[in-house]
Amino acid sequence: MDTSRRNSFNTRKWTNILLAITVLIYVAQLATQGKLLLWGAKINSLIEKGQIWTLATYSLLHANIRHLMVNCYSLNSVGPTVENLSGPRRFLAVYLTSAISSAATSYWFCKAPAVGASGAIFGLVGSVAVFVMRHRGMIRDAKEDLQHIAQVIFLNMVIRLMSSGIDDWDHLGGLLGGARVSWLIGPAWKYESMASDSPRIFSDRPPLFYLTDRKRKPR
C-alpha cells in the first residue's frame, strides 16, 4: 500500500505542484487586493507597452473563486493522465507551451483582458488526443476514446459560448498549442530493430528525436 501511494504521487507530482502554486497565487491576489491581478493579467495595451511576461503569468491568475475551482478540478482530472503518459519534463513542456500559446492567440484575436489556466488545460486535452491518435493501433477502443475527447471539447466550447465574459480564443490557442508540441516531443512508442538480426525493441521515438538525430549525423 505504501508503494502504491508513492507511485500515485510520482505520477502526479507536477500536477500537485501546479495546483498548489495556483491556489497560493490566488491567495496572494486576495492579499494584494487585485494589484497582483493587474500586474500579471493579459491586458493587450500593457503588453504593447512591454509587459511581455503576462503571456506566461496570466495562466496562474484567476478572476474569482469559482473560476479557480473549475480550473483546479479540470487540471486535477486531466493533469495526472498526461504526466503519467509523457513523464514530468514533457508534461511541463506541454503545459507551459499551451499556456503561452493560448495567451498569444488571445492577444491577437481578443482585445478583452484575460486570466486563467483553462488554455493550458485545453493544451493537456490536446496532448491526450495526440497520444491516442498516434497509438490508435496499440490502444483498445482508441476510436471511442477520441470520440469522447471530441465530445468533451465540443461541450466545453458550447458551454463557454453560452456564457458571458469567457475568452474562447485562448482555449483554442491552448488546445492547438498543446497538440502541436505533443506531436513534436510527445511519446511515440513503436517496435523497431537496431539491426537485421537483432530482436525488436519497444522504443519511444518522437519526431523531434529524428530531427536532432539527423543533425548529429556527419555529412
Side-chain angles (χ1 to χ4, degrees):
M1 187 177 295
D2 288 341
T3 302
S4 176
R5 286 172 182 166
R6 285 197 299 270
N7 290 339
S8 176
F9 178 78
N10 288 338
T11 57
R12 54 171 297 133
K13 173 182 177 181
W14 284 101
T15 300
N16 290 340
I17 290 173
L18 287 173
L19 286 169
I21 290 172
T22 301
V23 172
L24 288 174
I25 288 180
Y26 186 73
V27 172
Q29 284 180 229
L30 298 179
T32 59
Q33 299 180 343
K35 292 179 182 178
L36 186 63
L37 188 65
L38 183 62
W39 176 83
K42 188 230 73 173
I43 302 174
N44 287 13
S45 59
L46 296 181
I47 293 174
E48 291 164 1
K49 292 179 180 179
Q51 292 190 9
I52 304 297
W53 65 83
T54 59
L55 295 176
T57 58
Y58 99 111
S59 64
L60 297 171
L61 305 171
H62 289 83
N64 51 54
I65 188 65
R66 179 179 175 274
H67 189 203
L68 173 72
M69 292 178 67
V70 168
N71 279 345
C72 284
Y73 174 81
S74 301
L75 176 57
N76 187 64
S77 298
V78 71
T81 300
V82 180
E83 191 170 355
N84 187 39
L85 292 173
S86 303
R89 288 184 294 181
R90 287 190 284 195
F91 166 75
L92 287 175
V94 170
Y95 189 86
L96 296 175
T97 302
S98 300
I100 294 172
S101 175
S102 66
T105 305
S106 176
Y107 171 74
W108 285 110
F109 296 104
C110 180
K111 301 302 181 184
V115 292
S118 53
I121 295 166
F122 265 81
L124 298 180
V125 174
S127 179
V128 175
V130 168
F131 181 88
V132 174
M133 290 179 64
R134 180 173 277 166
H135 301 91
R136 57 188 178 276
M138 302 179 185
I139 300 175
R140 184 182 299 175
D141 301 327
K143 183 177 180 180
E144 287 76 8
D145 289 341
L146 286 172
Q147 289 175 344
H148 177 68
I149 292 169
Q151 289 171 0
V152 169
I153 295 171
F154 176 76
L155 287 174
N156 270 275
M157 289 297 185
V158 170
I159 292 171
R160 293 175 187 281
L161 285 172
M162 295 173 63
S163 305
S164 59
I166 294 179
D167 180 5
D168 286 304
W169 286 109
D170 84 322
H171 301 148
L172 180 61
L175 178 68
L176 296 178
R180 284 196 298 265
V181 74
S182 294
W183 179 87
L184 188 63
I185 68 170
W189 293 100
K190 63 174 66 174
Y191 285 106
E192 64 178 22
S193 298
M194 303 303 292
S196 57
D197 58 344
S198 64
R200 294 196 305 167
I201 61 173
F202 201 44
S203 60
D204 181 8
R205 305 288 189 186
L208 185 63
F209 170 84
Y210 292 103
L211 292 174
T212 55
D213 188 56
R214 188 176 300 139
K215 290 180 180 179
R216 289 176 189 153
K217 291 180 179 178
R219 298 179 180 177

